[in-house]
Amino acid sequence: MTSNPRVAFYPGSFDPITNGHVDIINRGLKIFDRVIVALAQNVSKTALFSLEERKEMIERVFTGERNVDVVLFEGLMVNAAKAAGAPVVLRGLRGITDFEYEFQLATMNKRLLPELETVFLMTERDNFHVSSKLVREVASLGGDVSGLVPALVEEALNVKF
Ligand code: ADP
């Protein structure tokens, strides 16, 4: 344990957490001492799972992993990262469409809080097509989402639909 642990802040909606997110968190743990998974309390988005449900699912996926924390935040992400003591924001990248958006977001965040750095990890090939939105759609239509989300998320989706 270093005296100055490297902490990364990983923000998102996680509605629900997918294997793509899990992979980014696990790989983030190889680079950082601690990863704070931060659930955005974004009122404008209508979610399938409540914030508490989403938080609990992430906590259950990472049961026993001492270096993963799950928190809720509202307001500006840069302020929440700073308050959590994280000098780095972790984000995942799938393809060109993610890149466009993430590039804009990182540039805006840099403007808001210059000392905060954004680190991107490229998705694993298997998770390239995985998004929470697509998982919700497929599950709502009765499709098989095994292999796209952790087993406990699959169960929760089966209960919802
Ligand atoms: P948002 O609600 O902003 O779209 P998400 O909660 O879906 O965010 O995701 C949070 C972060 O995880 C984003 O950086 C997103 O690009 C990344 N991410 C989501 N799905 C994947 C995936 N399949 N592979 C890699 N990164 C992903």
Side-chain angles (χ1 to χ4, degrees), residues 140-156:
S140 73
L141 298 170
D144 181 13
V145 294
S146 58
L148 308 181
V149 293
L152 65 91
V153 174
E154 196 186 337
E155 281 164 31

Side-chain angles (χ1 to χ4, degrees), residues 13 35 44 58 80 120 146 152:
S13 311
V35 173
S44 68
I58 304 169
F120 297 101
S146 58
L152 65 91

Side-chain angles (χ1 to χ4, degrees), residues 46-65:
T46 38
L48 174 64
F49 291 98
S50 72
L51 280 165
E52 279 314 315
E53 286 173 322
R54 285 181 264 160
K55 183 170 185 278
E56 197 200 319
M57 282 191 281
I58 304 169
E59 283 167 349
R60 282 172 61 204
V61 170
F62 289 96
T63 301
E65 178 50 77

